[in-house]
Amino acid sequence: MKMKSSVVKFLLIIVIVIGSVPLYSLTAFGALATPTLNVTASSGTCNLSWNAISGANGYDVYRNGSWYRWVNTLSTADTGLSNGTTYTYTVAAQNANVTPIETSPQSVSRTCTPSAGGGGGGSLSAPTLNVSASSATCSLSWNSVANATGYDVYRNGSWYRWASGLSTIDSGLSNGTTYTYTVAAQNANSSPVVSSPQSASKACTPNGTTNPNPSGFVVSQAQFNQMFPNRNSFYTYSGLVAALSSYPAFANTGSDTIKKREAAAFLGNVAQETGHLQFVVELNTANYPHYCNTANTQYPCAPGKQYYGRGPIQLSWNYNYGAAGAALGLPLLSNPDLVAQDASVAWRTALWFWVTQTGAGVMTSHNAIVNGSGFGQTIRTINGSLECNGGNPTAVNNRVNYFTNFANILGVSTGGNLTC
């Protein structure tokens, strides 16, 4: 299964090469982050609230697909509604340089159904929360809650992050300080607050006596920061670490050298695909409508959805979103924007391709490193003849250089067969 068609991928390669220029050359369209929208219902009313977005000077609010109001606060209430009727709300961050439309990357949507009986936030059960402490770190995990589509995580009573998985890591904390975490199950009809019935809380006190790299990943957070000092804030280290649980064989097979070599190889390719993690979505918006393969009946395109490149390896095409979503248990075919909205999901899709897909090659990228076939085979899997066999030697050399630099940071050799 190829990651992208040859024509469109060639265009993407051109975009990525162009993407080596400084970050200010990006359009302002993707410059603002996506707010996390909380919606609660009461009689005749839907209450909306969201987190502050850096760089935003206000927020556009849409109701049922039409613009409703602009606010410069972090909440609004819509009153005089009909009980029993479902309303869909979208909130999009904006500033003087970017006035988003309802479906822009910096927007998020939730539904709300007012009822005479009051808020509908208690329909989900509370997860069982487990918290463990290590040096400057608190690790959280919880069980899956039926009918939940995700989980809101709060720290010391304030919203901290949204997670689609069942774990998250909070690092960079102060040893000896106690933090209180709350995890609340949610879905499209139930957006809980920190004290909702579907939440569970526990305290955690990091200490300085344990492993300085508690994640267990062969790349520490300091090394990750060294590799990608100017990355987009969307690409978090904690999101990458959380994604590892989906593919435990990644960077965890063979000797320590092989483990680190695979991590360096993966991140070297990611650096080429995303301009050193600066690009969350494909830059050439003209390509966006063209990634629907109507001949694929297993994963047909959802109405109104587009399957352009998103994430660390720029996942593209409806059949790849569908297959990745099926493997990860995520609704990526119906909600492809999730790859550009949740860091853990984005990293999971990249690991899905790396570990399970042969792409344009004859083996998975994971097997290429673990079995000693060499870094060149990972390039062939990702881009095939578009780069290999003289197709684009500059891109190949970029990948090799990034891989070599990252291997040096991790203190391992690259092995042979670097090119394709």
Side-chain angles (χ1 to χ4, degrees):
M1 180 185 298
K2 292 187 177 180
M3 190 66 172
K4 309 172 182 73
S5 73
S6 59
V7 174
V8 177
K9 190 61 180 282
F10 178 73
L11 293 175
L12 180 56
I13 293 167
I14 295 175
V15 172
I16 292 171
V17 172
I18 295 173
S20 61
V21 300
L23 186 58
Y24 58 73
S25 66
L26 289 173
T27 64
F29 185 77
L32 298 182
T34 304
T36 296
L37 177 59
N38 296 311
V39 178
T40 58
S42 56
S43 182
T45 301
C46 286
N47 297 293
L48 288 67
S49 63
W50 54 90
N51 59 304
I53 298 300
S54 176
N57 59 15
Y59 303 86
D60 280 315
V61 181
Y62 301 81
R63 181 178 63 193
N64 294 340
S66 299
W67 186 87
Y68 169 56
R69 65 174 54 152
W70 179 88
V71 296
N72 59 3
T73 60
L74 300 179
S75 63
T76 191
D78 190 10
T79 59
L81 302 175
S82 299
N83 288 327
T85 299
T86 297
Y87 299 83
T88 299
Y89 294 91
T90 300
V91 173
Q94 57 103 316
N95 60 26
N97 297 316
V98 53
T99 302
I101 57 175
E102 183 191 2
T103 57
S104 68
Q106 55 265 32
S107 67
V108 62
S109 299
R110 292 278 175 87
T111 59
C112 172
T113 306
S115 65
S123 60
L124 300 178
S125 60
T128 299
L129 177 60
N130 298 306
V131 176
S132 62
S134 54
S135 182
T137 300
C138 287
S139 300
L140 287 67
S141 63
W142 54 89
N143 63 300
S144 177
V145 173
N147 299 318
T149 57
Y151 304 85
D152 280 314
V153 181
Y154 300 81
R155 181 175 64 191
N156 294 340
S158 298
W159 185 89
Y160 169 53
R161 64 174 52 148
W162 182 85
S164 62
L166 301 178
S167 65
T168 191
I169 295 176
D170 190 11
S171 56
L173 304 175
S174 298
N175 287 324
T177 299
T178 298
Y179 300 83
T180 299
Y181 293 92
T182 300
V183 173
Q186 57 101 322
N187 59 27
N189 297 313
S190 171
S191 298
V193 294
V194 67
S195 58
S196 70
Q198 57 264 30
S199 66
S201 299
K202 284 196 176 177
C204 172
T205 306
N207 57 74
T209 61
T210 57
N211 184 354
N213 185 25
S215 70
F217 185 34
V218 294
V219 179
S220 69
Q221 184 164 10
Q223 290 168 327
F224 183 74
N225 292 339
Q226 184 181 354
M227 294 172 179
F228 302 101
N230 300 312
R231 71 182 184 274
N232 188 303
S233 60
F234 171 79
Y235 289 113
T236 61
Y237 177 79
S238 60
L240 173 55
V241 171
L244 298 178
S245 61
S246 293
Y247 294 98
F250 169 73
N252 197 31
T253 303
S255 66
D256 287 343
T257 295
I258 296 299
K259 294 174 184 177
K260 293 180 179 180
R261 184 177 294 164
E262 182 179 10
F266 170 76
L267 293 172
N269 279 299
V270 163
Q272 173 66 14
E273 293 287 310
T274 62
H276 271 78
L277 291 182
Q278 293 183 52
F279 313 139
V280 178
V281 299
E282 182 177 343
L283 297 183
N284 190 351
T285 56
N287 285 339
Y288 285 11
H290 303 310
Y291 287 107
C292 178
N293 183 344
T294 56
N296 187 287
T297 58
Q298 183 179 11
Y299 299 115
C301 302
K305 301 302 180 180
Q306 294 180 323
Y307 301 96
Y308 52 83
R310 299 174 177 88
I313 299 191
Q314 295 287 280
L315 188 71
S316 304
W317 293 98
N318 52 302
Y319 47 82
N320 282 315
Y321 278 89
L328 297 169
L330 296 170
L332 300 187
L333 194 64
S334 61
N335 185 15
D337 289 323
L338 192 58
V339 180
Q341 294 172 343
D342 185 281
S344 176
V345 171
W347 286 113
R348 288 175 200 272
T349 63
L351 292 179
W352 165 80
F353 182 80
W354 182 270
V355 175
T356 71
Q357 301 300 295
T358 58
V362 296
M363 65 185 71
T364 67
S365 297
H366 170 72
N367 287 338
I369 299 300
V370 170
N371 297 337
S373 297
F375 181 73
Q377 288 298 326
T378 72
I379 305 174
R380 188 175 297 279
T381 294
I382 293 172
N383 261 350
S385 60
L386 292 176
E387 292 187 12
C388 296
N389 304 322
N392 189 337
T394 298
V396 171
N397 289 336
N398 285 345
R399 294 179 192 271
V400 172
N401 288 336
Y402 300 151
F403 169 46
T404 302
N405 290 339
F406 293 167
N408 288 338
I409 289 174
L410 298 180
V412 295
S413 64
T414 60
N417 302 320
L418 294 180
T419 65
C420 60

